[in-house]
Amino acid sequence: MTNFIKPGKTDTSTDEELLIVYRNNGDVAALGKLYERYMVLVYGVCLKYLKDEDLAKDAVMGIFEELIIKVKNHHINTFRSWLYVLGRNYCLMQLRAGKKLTVVNLDDVMEFTPFLHPDDNNREEAYKALEQCIDKLAGAQKQSIDLFYLKEKCYKEIADITNFSLNEVKSYIQNGKRNLKICLEKKSEY
């Protein structure tokens, strides 16, 4: 926090005056003086949300970069309050962005990867295995899987055709997919 020591207020200009100078002249130094007054507040907000000193320091600099653009586009009554909200929102966006970067195993996302996307050499063999496994499914599961995947019907259409409830259709498809996966995995072991 040593980088964000509260400066002495040597400039006697008000927040509003510095905002006007920046808006009229584009004088980033005036905006910098104004931001410097509240840098400790911004750092505190960032530290509260990000819970890491280095991330908070980076956020303080990132907020200033946003400030250069946003001050011109917003009507600001009280700079201190507006800056607090800007800082909080910036940190929340950083947290959301961090959550989006979670690593996911491709096999967890793609079902039956080797069977839905077989090599050209094994394509015919994979289709035969899939047909055999579909034939082994229980009646309702087989019918639901066939209508959903092969005939490309939606849940509601399947429910109308089969007289199953929507929940039954979802269940039959989910259980059918699981049973197909088990069957196909057993076949690939041979």
Side-chain angles (χ1 to χ4, degrees), residues 134-190:
I134 288 174
D135 286 339
K136 290 182 182 179
L137 290 175
Q141 288 179 10
K142 180 179 178 181
Q143 187 179 14
S144 297
I145 291 285
D146 179 63
L147 289 169
F148 188 73
Y149 288 105
L150 302 178
K151 300 208 173 45
E152 298 180 353
K153 303 290 183 188
C154 69
Y155 287 171
K156 183 172 180 352
E157 290 173 319
I158 296 170
D160 291 342
I161 292 168
T162 61
N163 292 325
F164 300 143
S165 71
L166 276 177
N167 285 338
E168 287 175 322
V169 170
K170 291 176 187 177
S171 177
Y172 292 144
I173 291 173
Q174 183 178 7
N175 292 332
K177 285 183 350 185
R178 185 183 64 246
N179 290 334
L180 278 175
K181 183 177 180 182
I182 292 167
C183 177
L184 291 169
E185 285 173 351
K186 285 180 184 176
K187 286 196 172 290
S188 69
E189 291 172 3
Y190 296 119

Side-chain angles (χ1 to χ4, degrees), residues 40-57:
V40 174
L41 167 79
V42 173
Y43 177 75
V45 169
C46 295
L47 193 57
K48 174 184 172 186
Y49 283 97
L50 301 176
K51 300 185 184 340
D52 180 272
E53 288 184 20
D54 291 331
L55 290 176
K57 289 175 184 176

Side-chain angles (χ1 to χ4, degrees), residues 112-151:
F112 315 126
T113 305
F115 302 102
L116 288 179
H117 308 284
D119 296 335
D120 287 335
N121 303 341
N122 300 336
R123 190 173 301 260
E124 192 62 37
E125 191 178 307
Y127 287 138
K128 273 186 187 175
L130 184 59
E131 285 175 1
Q132 290 171 353
C133 288
I134 288 174
D135 286 339
K136 290 182 182 179
L137 290 175
Q141 288 179 10
K142 180 179 178 181
Q143 187 179 14
S144 297
I145 291 285
D146 179 63
L147 289 169
F148 188 73
Y149 288 105
L150 302 178
K151 300 208 173 45

Side-chain angles (χ1 to χ4, degrees), residues 87-120:
R88 182 193 65 200
N89 290 344
Y90 181 91
C91 291
L92 291 174
M93 292 305 288
Q94 294 296 309
L95 291 171
R96 284 188 197 125
K99 288 181 183 175
K100 289 180 186 172
L101 297 177
T102 55
V103 176
V104 177
N105 184 351
L106 192 57
D107 290 333
D108 293 341
V109 178
M110 294 181 64
E111 299 178 44
F112 315 126
T113 305
F115 302 102
L116 288 179
H117 308 284
D119 296 335
D120 287 335

